[in-house]
Amino acid sequence: MTLPVKTTPFQHQIAAAEMALKQFATALLMEQGTGKTLVAIAVAGALSQRIVGLRWQQRAVSRLLIVVPASVMPVWECEFAKHADFPYEIRILSGAVSQRIVTLAEWAADAEKLQVVVINYEGAWRMEETLSKWRPEMIIADESQRIKTPGARQSKSLHRLGKLATYRLILTGTPVTQGPLDIYSQYKFLDPTIFGNSYYAFRARYAVMGGYGAVSYTH
C-alpha cells in the first residue's frame, strides 16, 4: 500500500495504517520512537484524498481535529511539514479562548485541502461548543492517557466530541499509568459500545477491588 507521506514508512507503520483504514476507531498503542504520528498523518491523508488502498471512494475527511498536551502543540505542525504528502492547511489554536474562536470562525475552507486544527486538552473542553459547530470528521487524541479519568472535564468533552466524528484515533505509548482501569475512558472516546457507557459497570465486570490502597486487579 502506498501511503501519502514523504517519509518512507517502516513495515510496522504501513501495517498500522492499513489496520486503521479498515475501521472507524483505532488505538495506536505504539511506544515512543515507533512513529505513531507518521501513521496518524498517513491515515488522515488517505481519508482526505478520496482513496483508501487502491480503491477510490467519496472523500471521507475534510476537517481533522487533533487534541494534544499543550507542550506538544507545535510538534504537530512540524510533523505535518515533514511527512504529509497531500494538500492541507493547519492551524494551531493557542492563546485566549476568544482569539481561538475568531481564528476558527474566520478560516475559509479550501475544498482541495484538509483542514487541520491542533488544540490542547484544556482548550478543547473550553471550546467544545465551537468545535462541535465546526464538525470535525476525524479526531485524533494524542497522548490519550490524558483522558484516562472518566469524570474529568477534558475526558467528558472528548467523549462528546468523539460522537460527532466518523473517524477516531488515540495515540499513546503509555495507555496505562495508574492501573488497567485507565483503559476505560480512552476507549469510551473511541467507541462506547466496546466497554459501555458506565465506568462503574465496567469496573464491576472487569476488576476486583481490594488490597492495599484499594488496588484494582483485572480478571
Side-chain angles (χ1 to χ4, degrees), residues 128-157:
E128 181 182 341
E129 182 177 354
T130 300
L131 293 171
S132 297
K133 291 179 180 178
W134 189 62
R135 302 292 297 188
E137 292 140 333
M138 181 177 183
I139 301 177
I140 296 172
D142 189 18
E143 300 295 341
S144 61
Q145 71 273 11
R146 294 297 184 95
I147 57 169
K148 70 179 185 296
T149 305
R153 284 179 172 178
Q154 59 194 32
S155 301
K156 291 180 177 180
S157 179

Side-chain angles (χ1 to χ4, degrees), residues 17 50 54 86 117 128 150 174 212:
R50 302 184 177 91
L54 299 177
F86 54 87
V117 164
E128 181 182 341
T174 53
Y212 178 73

Side-chain angles (χ1 to χ4, degrees), residues 8-106:
T8 302
F10 292 103
Q11 189 56 47
H12 73 274
Q13 293 173 311
I14 297 173
E18 289 178 341
M19 175 190 69
L21 287 167
K22 293 177 182 177
Q23 50 205 17
F24 296 107
T26 304
L28 297 179
L29 308 182
M30 301 166 63
E31 293 185 7
Q32 185 176 0
T34 56
K36 55 185 174 291
T37 303
L38 181 148
V39 175
I41 291 172
V43 171
L47 292 171
S48 72
Q49 289 190 304
R50 302 184 177 91
I51 186 170
V52 175
L54 299 177
R55 295 178 296 128
W56 288 90
Q57 64 172 29
Q58 183 179 0
R59 187 180 188 191
V61 171
S62 58
R63 294 179 299 278
L64 166 63
L65 174 65
I66 305 174
V67 187
V68 304
S71 60
V72 300
M73 290 175 68
V75 173
W76 274 90
E77 187 171 20
C78 295
E79 290 293 292
F80 263 84
K82 179 180 178 181
H83 299 303
D85 194 19
F86 54 87
Y88 73 91
E89 287 186 274
I90 190 167
R91 296 286 188 276
I92 307 297
L93 296 188
S94 59
V97 172
S98 58
Q99 183 56 51
R100 298 184 192 198
I101 292 173
V102 170
T103 299
L104 196 58
E106 294 181 347

